[in-house]
Amino acid sequence: MTGPGPRQVELLAREAAYLAPGASEEAALGGRVFVSGRGAVLVDLDGNEYLDFAAGTLTQSVGHCHPEVVAALTEQAGRLWNVHDFATADRAALCELLAELLPEHLTTLAFFSTGAEVVEAALRTVQAVAEPGRNRVGALRYGFHGKTQGARMLVHWDVGHQSFAGNSVLGYSPYCYRCPLELTYPSCDVRCASLVRRHIAEKSNVSALFFEPVLGAAGVIVPPPGYWEQIAAACRDNGVLLVADEVLTGGGRTGSFLASEALGVRADLVALSKGMASGFPFAVLAGTDAVLRSPAAARAGSTASTYASNPLGIAAAKATLSVLRRDTLVDRVRVLGDLMAPRLAELHERYPNLGDVRGIGLLYGLEFVHDRQSRRPAPELARRVYQAALDLGLRTAIGGHVIRLAPPFTLDDGQLRHGLDLLDRAIGGAVGELR
Ligand SMILES: Cc1ncc(COP(=O)(O)O)c(C=O)c1O
């Protein structure tokens, strides 16, 4: 197939007459109309099938329409939809389930509905508990934390979602492929981390560091060993709270329930959302008792909002996480990741325009460049690969010159191999067209 089929084209035109522009690059370039999904497979309006290596938007960890999640939602939909943040039996059970999945020190939970909402809640918490004079927060270049005003304050790269005037202090991210210090790992001795560490030690007005343990939206930037150790120690020694934004990485995506856990960071607060509730609005802030139960943070109403704790989101989260735990899917992420890594390394070797391939667990970024010498980003090539893959029946995600792969954890080995074969053909075709 080339592009969307006739029924999709007609529907897209109908919508375009009304919809404001501003859709994601993926949706705008892809131009598909999906009508159903089951497991790792999506079907479009013209009846074409796709392997979904974007997992919804990193939401479908247990695949599309997992029967147990469907059953839980159907049952909930017939019973109760919203009672503000009153207690429910499912919420109590979900708390217990999360306590089993999270690291032991994260003993207190608060529920929200979106990634940006939970990041805002973390910002409010930090502001509430901060010592006088600690009126700034730290964030890393290339972090993405959402589009609400507070979250945008933490964004330090040209993604179009920065705040009007930043109030957050900037730290170097571990972007080895494009090192801002023009150094090379490991001879660099992780200097980027030393500079962040020094900054933290010298600035006595910083209350917390907000960070993505693996930076997702900027193209899956995985820190080298040594990076987090140094920074986490500096935060500890200087009374700076560590706030892990695991909206994208949390819930097993990197091969551990939390990426921060795997990287050895003991965060004070962790924000989770995407992979938790199979695409239903749901987010959770997990934290230490010391922070979330401190009288300053625990003011009446501080964790309440209209859709926080909504029973449908809670039902979806409870069902999704029960499947994740029972089917030991986080272990499965590591197994699938081990199959994926060598195949992607082989593509990297074969295609010179594939400048960098990096990832962890079932989260990979493929960075396209004009040539390996200049490393000049090649977004037009990434767009061709993205569209060629869709035409072959593979859905990936795209951001600028980076293609992101993040399939559901329930994928079987054959589907993984087939998806990577399609990707290989898509890259081959797109590179060929350029010549
Ligand atoms: C790390 C991270 N934080 C926060 C957000 C914002 O989440 P939402 O789109 O649900 O507001 C995102 C969204 O992609 C994200 O990747």
Side-chain angles (χ1 to χ4, degrees), residues 141-382:
R141 184 176 293 284
Y142 300 119
F144 181 70
H145 302 281
K147 295 181 195 159
T148 50
Q149 207 56 250
R152 287 167 63 175
M153 193 185 82
L154 304 169
V155 176
H156 290 274
W157 54 295
D158 188 18
V159 68
H161 304 302
Q162 298 91 335
S163 172
F164 290 122
N167 178 35
S168 71
V169 182
L170 174 65
Y172 286 115
S173 68
Y175 196 176
C176 295
Y177 186 64
R178 299 185 184 279
C179 177
L181 303 165
E182 296 186 1
L183 298 171
T184 308
Y185 181 82
S187 60
C188 63
D189 222 7
V190 204
R191 183 142 170 72
C192 51
S194 325
L195 292 174
V196 178
R197 190 189 58 194
R198 212 167 71 196
H199 209 72
I200 288 167
E202 282 167 8
K203 298 252 173 197
S204 56
N205 59 356
V206 178
S207 51
L209 177 67
F210 281 68
F211 65 97
E212 289 182 89
V214 172
L215 297 108
V220 191
I221 298 173
V222 185
Y227 180 83
W228 276 116
E229 287 86 336
Q230 287 197 49
I231 296 176
C235 288
R236 285 273 154 264
D237 296 347
N238 292 281
V240 173
L241 293 174
L242 282 155
V243 184
D245 179 349
E246 299 230 22
V247 164
L248 186 148
T249 49
R253 174 61 57 193
T254 62
S256 314
F257 191 71
L258 298 183
S260 52
E261 217 180 346
L263 295 169
V265 184
R266 195 176 188 277
D268 300 279
L269 290 173
V270 177
L272 299 124
S273 180
K274 285 177 182 285
M276 307 292 285
S278 294
F280 264 72
F282 176 80
V284 53
L285 183 64
T288 59
D289 284 359
V291 176
L292 281 179
R293 290 187 194 270
S294 84
R299 299 247 299 273
S302 61
T303 62
S305 76
T306 303
Y307 305 104
S309 278
N310 87 82
L312 286 160
I314 299 273
K318 180 170 157 270
T320 302
L321 295 175
S322 299
V323 169
L324 187 93
R325 188 187 51 168
R326 187 201 57 211
D327 297 348
T328 58
L329 289 178
V330 181
D331 295 343
R332 180 76 185 141
V333 167
R334 289 196 292 274
V335 172
L336 287 167
D338 287 348
L339 288 177
M340 190 145 146
R343 191 66 212 286
L344 291 176
E346 185 219 313
L347 296 184
H348 181 230
E349 224 160 79
R350 214 144 31 82
Y351 295 112
N353 295 103
L354 197 42
D356 197 26
V357 171
R358 50 185 182 248
I360 177 170
L362 276 182
L363 179 62
Y364 271 82
L366 278 59
E367 185 158 343
F368 287 89
V369 293
H370 282 270
D371 59 83
R372 289 202 178 172
Q373 193 68 29
S374 72
R375 300 187 180 186
R376 189 153 65 85
E380 61 295 332
L381 177 58

Side-chain angles (χ1 to χ4, degrees), residues 126-140:
V126 166
Q127 197 175 19
V129 302
E131 291 164 14
R134 290 197 186 247
N135 60 356
R136 304 197 77 183
V137 290
L140 299 179

